[in-house]
Amino acid sequence: MRRSTKRMFAATTLICEAMLVFFATLVAFALEPIGQRHTSYLVVGGVLMLLCVLCAGMLRSRAGYALGWVLQAVMIAGGFVVPMMFGIGVAFAVIWFFALRIGARVDREKDEVARRLADNP
């Protein structure tokens, strides 16, 4: 059974984003004075980290890739809480785009090589 390069690239991106969310959550936690919103940053950050990891596991279906795009938008929107996330979120969205695009190209090329090898014993 051949492993999908596209899925591997996408999962790696999502796991890196989960780590990014962890550190962004710590920044948001430290910037906010102690209060009710203080705890909500930890909860939202924890949920986003969990969603990134779950999405990485869902990449066997189209729904996983769709959720990945939604998570990219959420990462960019995180800039309203931690302004640096606007730039970092856009950077990760670009990485996500190229992970999907280049991963799919590598998978197609691997399939072509396998087909050629099977045709010429």
Side-chain angles (χ1 to χ4, degrees):
M1 184 170 146
R2 186 181 60 81
R3 290 183 157 206
S4 170
T5 303
K6 176 182 171 182
R7 188 169 60 206
M8 181 184 61
F9 284 176
T12 301
T13 302
L14 288 167
I15 296 301
C16 289
E17 280 185 309
M19 291 185 283
L20 168 71
V21 169
F22 172 74
F23 291 115
T25 301
L26 292 178
V27 169
F29 185 80
L31 290 177
E32 186 68 28
I34 295 177
Q36 185 64 27
R37 284 182 26 183
H38 200 251
T39 305
S40 66
Y41 287 150
L42 295 176
V43 171
V44 170
V47 167
L48 280 175
M49 284 187 297
L50 182 63
L51 282 174
C52 286
V53 172
L54 289 175
C55 183
M58 291 175 51
L59 292 176
R60 292 177 191 259
S61 70
R62 295 184 95 149
Y65 292 101
L67 178 59
W69 279 112
V70 170
L71 287 173
Q72 301 313 309
V74 170
M75 296 295 165
I76 295 169
F80 291 111
V81 178
V82 178
M84 203 60 183
M85 284 299 293
F86 283 124
I88 295 171
V90 168
F92 267 94
V94 170
I95 292 168
W96 174 256
F97 171 78
F98 282 108
L100 298 183
R101 184 175 174 124
I102 293 171
R105 184 185 323 160
V106 169
D107 286 340
R108 281 191 307 272
E109 290 173 3
K110 285 166 65 175
D111 289 342
E112 178 66 22
V113 168
R115 187 185 59 76
R116 287 183 183 176
L117 289 174
D119 289 344
N120 297 323

